[in-house]
């Protein structure tokens, strides 16, 4: 959520920035509602002071019954007006917050402006793309021959965009997630945390998925109608909301947390070679990195968090590139985002495996997360960063397709072998 006071102090700047990302913004409507809100707020404050003033006059009229009755009636009338105006301002504040909640975060000045991937900026590429002297199998073909990836059966029990993974490929899948967690905990110094997969819908508002992306969420039917429950689209939702309405101190910062969770997102059916098999699913596993830091450190921490995700790809020796996303390719809550894209020899293109974003104080305002500045003794909003470290299924695909050493044989990356009982190879001939 944007700082409305900051917005009003520099309207032309914010309008220009907001229009880069959305045209559905009516500044006149926002200002009209805000000024009505401020007007009523001032009226309430005036009446409260008035009530206090006359309440102190009671002792002057203790021997004047008529005047005392009139004063009591007058104070009661003021109380009634305050009550009425508070109810009115509650509705106005709801409308005001509703408008602001649809405004995306302000982009950083370094972000390229554009509405398609052509405007994304390649920062650098890493790793050698292999040249094969045989036909490389895609992960779907290999999984069928190895009896380890089953899309057809999963569609029977769950519908499209789900998968079943079995046997040695399932073991490889689990090994990837364990390796990533161990790396982030022991090498990158994140604290591991296990979080709920079902949350209240207000939690998705806190991280910015709601209200804008309500059609992408899986909702849970429950008897308690007071709370709408949702399956998490990312572990970020659960972790960030752990700090709702918290006030932290210098000794608590920075906070670095990592979790591995299933993620549930409704993916509209997309066809094409870049969306086949395990690439785009309604349920997938992802290791999520979160950092909560002071405002003056957030952009250097974005570089750190992104590099932490890159370490995984380098240790696996998988070719990738780092992309600075353009304005209309970033998430709703992000001010600046780096994508890490992994090389797919089958598609002859790159596939996103991580997004690392700085949300500035956008999410912390929504969840009311602050810290007490020891120097000026003020409560200030913290900055929240998030990143995939990484998407497990897409790393699995990259290993299957990049680590084939001849037709139908996969060489397991060295760093994963200890998690696979020192197994070095997986072959489609090794059907389990």
């Amino acid at each position: 959520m944007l700082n409305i006071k900051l917005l009003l102090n520099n309207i032309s700047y914010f309008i220009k920035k907001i229009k880069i990302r959305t045209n559905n913004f009516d500044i006149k409507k926002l200002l009209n509602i805000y000024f009505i809100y401020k007007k009523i707020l001032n009226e309430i404050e005036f009446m409260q002071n008035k009530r206090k003033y006359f309440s102190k006059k009671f002792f002057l009229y203790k021997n004047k019954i008529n005047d005392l009755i009139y004063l009591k009636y007058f104070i009661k009338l003021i109380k009634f007006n305050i009550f009425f105006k508070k109810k009115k301002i509650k509705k106005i504040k709801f409308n005001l917050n509703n408008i602001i909640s649809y405004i995306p975060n302000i982009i950083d000045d370094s972000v390229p402006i554009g509405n398609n991937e052509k405007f994304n900026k390649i920062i650098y590429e890493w790793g050698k793309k292999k040249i094969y002297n045989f036909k490389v199998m895609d992960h779907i073909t290999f999984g069928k021959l190895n009896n380890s990836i089953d899309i057809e059966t999963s569609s029977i029990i769950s519908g499209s965009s789900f998968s079943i993974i079995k046997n040695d490929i399932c073991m490889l899948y689990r090994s990837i997630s364990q390796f990533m967690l161990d790396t982030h905990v022991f090498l990158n110094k994140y604290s591991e945390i296990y979080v709920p997969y079902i949350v209240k819908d207000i939690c998705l508002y806190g991280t910015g998925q709601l209200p804008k992306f309500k059609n992408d969420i899986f909702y849970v039917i429950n008897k308690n109608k007071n709370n709408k429950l949702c399956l998490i689209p990312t572990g970020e939702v659960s972790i960030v909301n752990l700090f709702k309405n918290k006030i932290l101190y210098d000794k608590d910062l920075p906070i670095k947390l990592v979790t591995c969770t299933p993620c549930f997102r409704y993916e509209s059916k997309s066809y094409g070679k870049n969306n086949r098999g395990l690439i785009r699913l309604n349920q997938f596993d992802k290791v999520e990195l979160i950092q909560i830091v002071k405002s003056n450190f957030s952009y250097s921490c974005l570089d750190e968090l992104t590099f932490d995700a890159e370490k995984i790809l380098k240790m696996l020796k998988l070719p990738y590139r780092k992309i600075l996303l353009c304005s209309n390719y970033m998430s709703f809550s992000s001010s600046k985002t780096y994508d890490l894209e992994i090389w797919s020899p089958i598609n002859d293109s790159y596939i996103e495996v991580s997004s690392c974003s700085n949300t500035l104080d956008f999410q912390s305002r929504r969840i009311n997360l602050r810290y007490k500045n020891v120097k000026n003794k003020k409560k200030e909003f913290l900055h929240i960063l998030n990143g995939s470290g990484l998407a497990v299924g897409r790393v699995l695909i990259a290993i299957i397709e990049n680590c084939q050493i001849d037709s139908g044989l996969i060489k397991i990356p060295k760093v994963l072998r200890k998690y696979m009982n020192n197994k070095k190879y997986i072959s489609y001939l090794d059907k389990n």
Side-chain angles (χ1 to χ4, degrees), residues 47-61 68 71-72 74-76 78-79:
M47 286 190 289
Q48 285 175 332
N49 291 333
K50 200 172 183 180
R51 186 189 66 185
K52 287 177 184 177
Y53 172 79
F54 283 109
S55 296
K56 290 176 181 178
K57 299 292 182 181
F58 260 85
F59 73 95
L60 296 175
Y61 298 99
L68 189 61
L71 185 60
K72 283 183 177 180
F74 185 68
I75 292 172
K76 193 174 183 180
I78 293 174
K79 283 182 178 179

Side-chain angles (χ1 to χ4, degrees), residues 215-249:
N215 294 328
D216 298 334
I217 305 301
F218 280 93
Y219 296 92
V220 179
I221 297 173
N222 65 100
K223 292 180 181 179
N224 183 358
K225 295 181 181 179
N226 294 326
N227 289 321
K228 285 187 179 178
L229 299 177
C230 311
L231 294 172
I232 57 170
T234 167
E236 167 198 350
V237 175
S238 297
I239 293 181
V240 168
N241 280 279
L242 292 174
F243 299 92
K244 187 178 176 68
N245 295 323
K246 299 280 186 184
I247 296 174
L248 304 179
Y249 298 87

Side-chain angles (χ1 to χ4, degrees), residues 121-165:
K121 184 180 178 182
I122 299 172
I123 304 301
Y124 65 80
E125 297 183 20
W126 184 92
K128 270 191 173 183
K129 299 172 187 174
K130 290 182 183 177
I131 298 173
Y132 302 90
N133 57 7
F134 58 91
K135 187 178 179 181
V136 181
M137 286 188 189
D138 64 37
H139 70 283
I140 303 169
T141 304
F142 186 92
K144 283 182 178 179
L145 292 170
N146 185 252
N147 188 30
S148 55
I149 298 176
D150 187 348
I151 304 295
E152 288 76 14
T153 304
S154 66
S155 66
I156 293 171
I157 62 173
S158 300
S160 62
S161 300
F162 291 89
S163 68
I164 293 170
I165 305 173

